[in-house]
Amino acid sequence: MVAPGAHRKERSIAIITALACQGVADKRLHTHVRLGMRHGLDQDALTALAALLAGYIGYPRASITMETIKDECAHTERAAP
């Protein structure tokens, strides 16, 4: 259960972090990165999160997360009117 005081943005950070730690690279990570963007996380914040995680979870897993962030940000830019 999520802490009652956790806001959507913080929950998104927690879920993206958990998926990155597990090395998840499928549509679950894409979905939660997209949701994080809807909840107020921009590309700079997501990139900073991936960079921070690299020191704790290792570069390979952080790199997968970074690629997903770049893909989703590019997709969002292409879809914008």
Side-chain angles (χ1 to χ4, degrees):
M1 184 170 162
V2 176
H7 297 284
R8 289 180 176 172
K9 186 187 294 188
E10 288 82 10
R11 285 186 285 190
S12 289
I13 292 169
I15 293 167
I16 292 166
T17 298
L19 293 172
C21 289
Q22 296 173 41
V24 172
D26 60 16
K27 55 184 176 171
R28 290 175 293 167
L29 182 58
H30 282 268
T31 298
H32 284 288
V33 167
R34 212 173 313 120
L35 286 170
M37 293 169 69
R38 285 189 208 149
H39 296 152
L41 296 170
D42 61 11
Q43 185 171 4
D44 289 340
L46 290 165
T47 300
L49 175 62
L52 173 69
L53 291 175
Y56 295 95
I57 66 174
Y59 180 78
R61 287 185 175 179
S63 177
I64 291 168
T65 303
M66 183 62 72
E67 286 299 317
T68 302
I69 291 166
K70 286 181 183 179
D71 289 348
E72 286 303 323
C73 288
H75 180 264
T76 300
E77 287 177 8
R78 285 191 307 271

